[in-house]
Amino acid sequence: MSLYQLEHVEHVYRETTVLKHLNLTITAGEIFALVGPSGAGKSTLLRLMALLEPPSEGKVQIELNGKPLTYHKASITDRRQLGMVFQRPTMLTRSVYANVAFGLHLRGQHGVQSQVKHMLEAVALQHLAQRRVQSLSGGELQRVALARALILQPKVLLLDEPTANLDPYNIGIIENLVRRHHDEDGTTIIIVTHNVFQAKRLADRVGLLLESELIEVADTDTFFNHPQDPRTQAFLSGDLIY
Amino acid sequence: MQVTITALSISAVVGIPCGAWFALSKLPGKRILTTFIYTGMGLPPVVVGLVVYLFLSRQGVFGDLGWLFSFRAMVIAQVILATPLVIGITMSSILGLDPNLRPQLRALGATEWQITRALLFEARFGVILGLVAGFGAIISEVGAVMLVGGNIDGRTRVLTTAIVLETQRGHFEVALALGIILLSISFATNFLLMILQGRRW
Ligand SMILES: Nc1ncnc2c1ncn2[C@@H]1O[C@H](COP(=O)(O)OP(=O)(O)OP(=O)(O)O)[C@@H](O)[C@H]1O
Ligand SMILES: [Mg+2]
């Protein structure tokens, strides 16, 4: 069953075309990795898929509970099934606890305290619950960002470089957590990453975005071992400097 | 004092939502509006007093209300002085927040109303600062209150107008004592707000 349908998507900021001729289908329950050099438009594509912006042209549609939804049609209840971790997470100037609890409070949920406690344990941050987020390290901050998205148990989780600049220990925690949510809850994961090894480790399928265009989409094995497009081969062998 | 508190409450109730709204919405005349608010932040009290006086005086548009030289007249004048300060400072402190915060809150599933509330809370220091500035401006102000209140003993006399009167009468000790009270009130309020700010954390 196809979850996302993107057809002839084009996105323009003022004069600059950031995405063009983009077609993509995502199946419910898969892990899809989006790779590509800096400035290719990966974050922009993720924002469109999170229904945070409408595309300038074309269609970005997601089917949730049998309803086809777009930026304009999705209600707040629909939107709340999508989770996103931004490339540069913005925190509320409050405690770690308050940041992780925030989304639950928005939804008027009960039992917030024990849910947050469990979540913080899962990202190994329980000892920092009362700390202000401003005093956290980069790795801790990214784990808080992931925790506050995961705790909402989204049907679709969009991750924008969730492990950029992190050490193997933090990368391990984050990857395991993402994989566990995928396996246990059937969460669809779309992850943007600079790290092709990460894509290899996690993804069912991989897409390469190059200069605003989606060059190649293939299952992970094909993508890495038998890429069709010569530009994918060049990207993988590091000939494309980024 | 009662005048100032009433006026400040009204300014807060009007000014904080307006400030948030102006900061967050895409109104067409936003530039001009902003210019007006910033001008409003520095209105000379005597001029405000004069205008309110003219509106409320017997020949004025609202003359029939008979509000001149009353508590209400003074409150009106002070609200006019304080509200632009509250709006302006609330607005600029919300605009000073990280622009990525809004999409972030939206992605966490916040409604527009929840976003506004969260942003106001993030800008809490600025909002409190706006209230302090408004309070400071109107408690120490003489011109407007004197004109529209008339400095009537027991009815429309406030600290500042009392100081003016006592000075004119040559009762410097009384004037000075009142001045010290005024200063203490200012100081105490600011101090209290500082503590509140610290608590909020
Ligand atoms: N809000 C915006 N206004 C104008 N231009 C933008 C905006 N957002 C992104 N761009 C531009 O669009 C292009 C693609 O940006 P995007 O953030 O999607 O790239 P990216 O692939 O995520 O890069 P990176 O790997 O460095 O994060 C860039 O040239 C960027 O400057
Ligand atoms: Mg990016």
Side-chain angles (χ1 to χ4, degrees), chain A residues 11-14 16-19 36-47 53 87 160-161 192 194 209 212 242:
Chain A
H11 203 61
V12 182
Y13 284 120
R14 292 196 189 87
T16 356
T17 302
V18 181
L19 294 171
S38 188
K42 305 183 294 297
S43 297
T44 308
L45 180 55
L46 223 53
R47 278 198 300 275
E53 285 175 44
Q87 187 167 10
D160 197 348
E161 312 236 10
V192 167
H194 260 121
L209 198 64
S212 320
Y242 68 94

Side-chain angles (χ1 to χ4, degrees), chain A residues 76 80 82 86 88-95 102 106-107 132 134 148 152, chain B residues 98 100-101 103-111 114 118 121-122 124-125 201:
Chain A
I76 183 73
R80 284 181 173 174
L82 306 175
F86 289 75
R88 207 171 61 77
T90 318
M91 294 287 157
L92 299 161
T93 53
R94 301 190 216 171
S95 66
F102 187 74
L106 291 179
R107 288 157 175 77
R132 339 163 119 207
Q134 293 96 312
R148 72 174 169 184
L152 304 172
Chain B
D98 189 332
N100 296 316
L101 199 52
Q104 176 70 73
L105 294 171
R106 194 166 290 133
L108 287 169
T111 61
Q114 289 173 325
F121 189 77
E122 282 303 293
R124 57 197 178 275
F125 295 97
W201 235 102

